[in-house]
Each structure stands twice: as structure tokens, then as C-alpha cells.
Amino acid sequence: MGLDSVPDGIRAGESWVVRLTILQPGRTPLEGVEPEVTISKPGTTRTFAATPTGHPGVYRASVVFPSAGSWRYVDRPARRGASRGRGSLRDRDHHR
């Protein structure tokens, strides 16, 4: 699974619109799954469902970081799937 962007420059309360591309082994687009993006920092976790874009294997999620700080984000191909760590966001309002 791949993300088309990272949340660089996103501020608290703004939307990070990200596309997730999900491929089966052999590069075949995977359809019919329920991917999601989960963001977390100590004491707070939020999960955002991704919806199909109309292109096979491509889904879109609109993620909103509710507050400034350092956030970890994880993408999952389906609610029952294993997660993968993807990095962290440092909100520029908070860390000047």
C-alpha cells in the first residue's frame, strides 16, 4: 500500500487529503477493501475511513489533525489488516 503524499505543512484543523493505492502481489489493484488512516499521539487517537475514488485500487481519505504536536500516522488496507507505521507530523504552529 502506498500514500501519494505526507502531511508536511499541514496545520491543526486543516485537512490532509491523501490517496492510498492498494495493490495485490503482482501489482494488481485491490478493490472491495475498507482502508483507513489512523493518527495518534499520547492520549489521542483518530481513525479516518478511505473511500474508493473510482480508479481500481485507489482510495481517498481526508485526515484532520485536531491539535498541534507530534503525530504518528498509520495506514491499514482493511479494518482487519495489519498496520504499518508511516511517520509523524510536527505541526508548525506548535513548534516555532
Side-chain angles (χ1 to χ4, degrees):
M1 184 153 85
L3 303 178
D4 76 338
S5 66
V6 294
D8 288 342
I10 300 295
R11 297 174 187 262
E14 294 179 343
S15 292
W16 168 41
V17 178
V18 61
R19 280 188 222 134
L20 301 85
T21 300
I22 304 174
L23 302 175
Q24 300 178 54
R27 299 183 184 251
T28 303
L30 183 60
E31 297 182 83
V33 295
E34 299 174 339
E36 58 192 23
V37 176
T38 298
I39 61 172
S40 63
K41 71 178 190 177
T44 305
T45 299
R46 301 274 193 281
T47 298
F48 301 86
T51 57
T53 63
H55 298 284
V58 181
Y59 300 81
R60 180 177 309 135
S62 181
V63 177
V64 177
F65 294 88
S67 64
S70 182
W71 290 85
R72 176 172 166 74
Y73 58 99
V74 175
D75 58 292
R76 295 184 177 140
R79 288 195 174 98
R80 60 191 173 280
S83 64
R84 297 187 305 157
R86 301 295 297 187
S88 64
L89 166 82
R90 291 204 179 272
D91 189 285
R92 295 172 193 215
D93 285 339
H94 182 65
H95 295 284
R96 286 193 177 174

